[in-house]
């Protein structure tokens, strides 16, 4: 017996926004879902482990609140969110039989259609959401960005579900239709707060929002200290390739929509009647995209002078993004 609770698959511009849109019957536009989930944000860290190259991480979307729960809440869609010691297969089956999808938070690298994670320390640490959209006998039909659902055995999926250590066996099931109007004002206020204020409420807040952008620009220009890009990523072609390659991936591919999520968010702002801020974020998107291209096209064999020119050019784009987005926030606060 085959059960499939929806038939619209594939990723538009943002993977998780597309998952939510499809799971709710494709009745909401992707930009509305993304904007209500918080839209844009900024987080910048460089993780360092002994014996490994530094790992650059930039998250250009709203973070760290979970997109599924936030989007459902602001859409007014009731849902049930649970965690358990073991997979709740009975609840999953009941949801699907009742016509409701099941959002699950898993370890991405444990899914067979993704490559294994070479950074063992990071495996299972970041939440990665997929949707169980149906089943066929003992196989699950899972949406994860492809034009058709992936087929995977229940036990193999269960291993990926278990491997995400921080949110083991997290399950989110919508339980009814939307109630009331979308909370646009709450979403806009959240975006402003994530760019300008405290996000975590601790010392790591310096890595978020506008202060995170300032930190990135400063470290790109820093040619002398151990936290500057010259010392972190300029020591070998492999290190430079690692840093600049991650710059492209983080702004165009991972935890983002293209252009650091700014074009998608600008479309949301146009949709909800905030054209001034939309135009500013759209202009900022061009600079984020240029920054990503500089990273993608960087020569790993660049000498010190060429690296200095590259890092300075990158910093100038970050500066311009910061100027534009501060102006955009002022427009949103009017």
């Amino acid at each position: 017996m085959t059960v499939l609770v929806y038939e619209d698959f594939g990723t538009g511009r943002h993977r998780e926004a597309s998952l939510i849109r499809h799971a709710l019957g494709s009745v909401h536009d992707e930009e509305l879902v993304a904007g209500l989930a918080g839209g844009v944000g900024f987080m910048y860290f460089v993780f360092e482990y002994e014996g490994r190259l530094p790992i650059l991480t930039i998250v250009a979307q709203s973070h760290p609140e979970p997109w599924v729960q936030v989007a459902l809440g602001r859409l007014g869609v009731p849902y049930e969110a649970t965690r358990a010691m073991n997979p709740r297969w009975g609840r999953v089956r009941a949801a699907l039989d009742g016509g409701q999808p099941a959002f699950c938070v898993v370890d991405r690298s444990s899914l067979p259609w993704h490559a294994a994670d070479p950074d063992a320390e990071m495996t299972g640490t970041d939440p990665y959401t997929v949707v169980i959209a149906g089943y066929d006998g003992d196989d699950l039909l899972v949406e994860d960005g492809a034009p058709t659902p992936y087929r995977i055995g229940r036990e193999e999926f269960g291993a990926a579900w278990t491997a995400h250590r921080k949110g083991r066996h997290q399950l989110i099931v919508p339980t009814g239709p939307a109630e009331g109007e979308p909370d646009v004002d709450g979403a806009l206020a959240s975006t402003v707060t994530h760019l300008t204020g405290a996000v975590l409420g601790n010392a790591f807040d310096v890595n978020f929002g506008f202060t995170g952008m300032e930190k990135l620009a400063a470290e790109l220009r820093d040619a002398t200290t151990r936290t500057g890009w010259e010392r972190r990523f300029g020591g070998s072609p492999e290190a430079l390739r690692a840093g600049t390659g991650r710059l492209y991936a983080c702004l165009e591919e991972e935890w983002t929509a293209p252009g650091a999520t700014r074009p998608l968010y600008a479309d949301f702002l146009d949709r909800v009647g905030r054209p001034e801020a939309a135009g500013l974020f759209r202009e900022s998107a061009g600079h984020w995209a240029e920054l990503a291209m500089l990273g993608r096209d960087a020569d790993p064999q660049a000498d010190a002078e060429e690296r200095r020119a590259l890092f300075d050019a990158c910093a100038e784009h970050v500066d311009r993004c910061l100027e534009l987005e501060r102006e955009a926030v002022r427009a949103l606060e009017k």
Side-chain angles (χ1 to χ4, degrees):
M1 177 181 177
T2 301
V3 171
L4 193 63
V5 300
Y6 61 87
E7 297 183 351
D8 193 4
F9 298 96
T11 295
R13 286 183 286 174
H14 188 280
R15 190 192 70 89
E16 201 160 356
S18 294
L19 293 181
I20 298 166
R21 176 177 181 270
H22 297 158
L24 297 180
S26 298
V27 297
H28 304 289
D29 294 335
E30 183 183 14
E31 59 265 27
L32 178 65
V33 173
L36 292 176
V40 298
F42 191 81
M43 184 194 82
Y44 165 65
F45 281 95
V46 179
F47 298 99
E48 297 183 89
Y49 301 95
E50 186 175 354
R52 293 180 179 271
L53 296 172
I55 303 171
L56 168 67
T57 297
I58 293 174
V59 177
Q61 66 183 33
S62 181
H63 185 76
E65 284 82 1
W67 270 50
V68 173
Q69 293 95 311
V70 173
L72 294 178
R74 292 198 177 120
L75 283 166
V77 174
Y79 64 90
E80 172 190 282
T82 61
R83 293 183 183 180
M85 292 297 295
N86 297 297
R88 297 182 63 202
W89 296 121
R91 181 66 185 98
V92 171
R93 184 68 172 259
L96 297 172
D97 287 341
Q100 298 290 357
F103 293 91
C104 297
V105 181
V106 302
D107 168 38
R108 180 181 184 274
S109 67
S110 296
L111 296 171
W113 50 88
H114 289 295
D117 187 350
D119 298 304
E121 295 92 342
M122 304 296 289
T123 299
T125 61
D126 286 328
Y128 188 79
T129 301
V130 297
V131 182
I132 303 177
Y135 63 85
D136 182 11
D138 291 332
D139 289 341
L140 302 176
L141 304 175
V142 175
E143 182 175 14
D144 184 18
T148 58
Y150 292 99
R151 179 184 292 268
I152 183 172
R154 193 179 79 168
E155 295 308 312
E156 188 172 14
F157 183 84
W161 203 4
T162 299
H164 176 55
R165 297 187 294 270
K166 289 185 178 179
R168 186 169 293 172
H169 307 134
Q170 184 173 353
L171 175 66
I172 302 114
V173 177
T175 56
E179 302 168 354
E181 294 298 315
D183 182 13
V184 172
D185 289 343
L188 296 175
S190 175
T191 300
V192 169
T193 297
H194 278 71
L195 289 173
T196 63
V199 174
L200 300 178
N202 58 35
F204 290 118
D205 277 332
V206 70
N207 297 83
F208 286 82
F210 293 155
T211 57
M213 294 182 201
E214 290 172 341
K215 184 175 183 179
L216 171 58
E219 292 186 358
L220 281 162
R221 291 190 170 99
D222 182 351
T224 57
T225 75
R226 61 176 298 275
T227 59
W229 274 53
E230 177 57 33
R231 286 185 58 179
R232 269 179 166 158
F233 298 110
S236 69
E238 293 76 18
L240 185 58
R241 184 184 298 111
T244 57
R246 287 290 300 159
L247 193 61
Y248 176 82
C250 291
L251 296 175
E252 293 290 326
E253 298 175 332
E254 298 179 5
W255 307 107
T256 188
T261 312
R262 271 61 180 171
L264 181 62
Y265 189 64
D267 289 348
F268 164 73
L269 293 176
D270 278 334
R271 191 184 191 282
V272 299
R274 307 304 291 266
E276 181 183 358
L280 291 162
F281 275 113
R282 199 167 278 118
E283 185 176 352
S284 175
H287 289 280
W288 288 119
E290 288 291 335
L291 175 59
M293 295 304 108
L294 286 173
R296 185 195 66 182
D297 298 336
D299 180 3
Q301 303 294 333
D303 61 25
E305 184 177 350
E306 291 168 331
R307 290 195 303 272
R308 183 72 271 135
L310 170 65
F311 295 158
D312 285 345
C314 289
E316 288 171 7
H317 281 296
V318 178
D319 288 344
R320 186 59 180 143
C321 291
L322 185 56
E323 292 171 5
L324 290 164
E325 294 186 16
R326 280 181 166 145
E327 189 176 350
V329 162
R330 288 192 290 270
L332 290 177
E333 291 176 324
K334 290 180 180 177

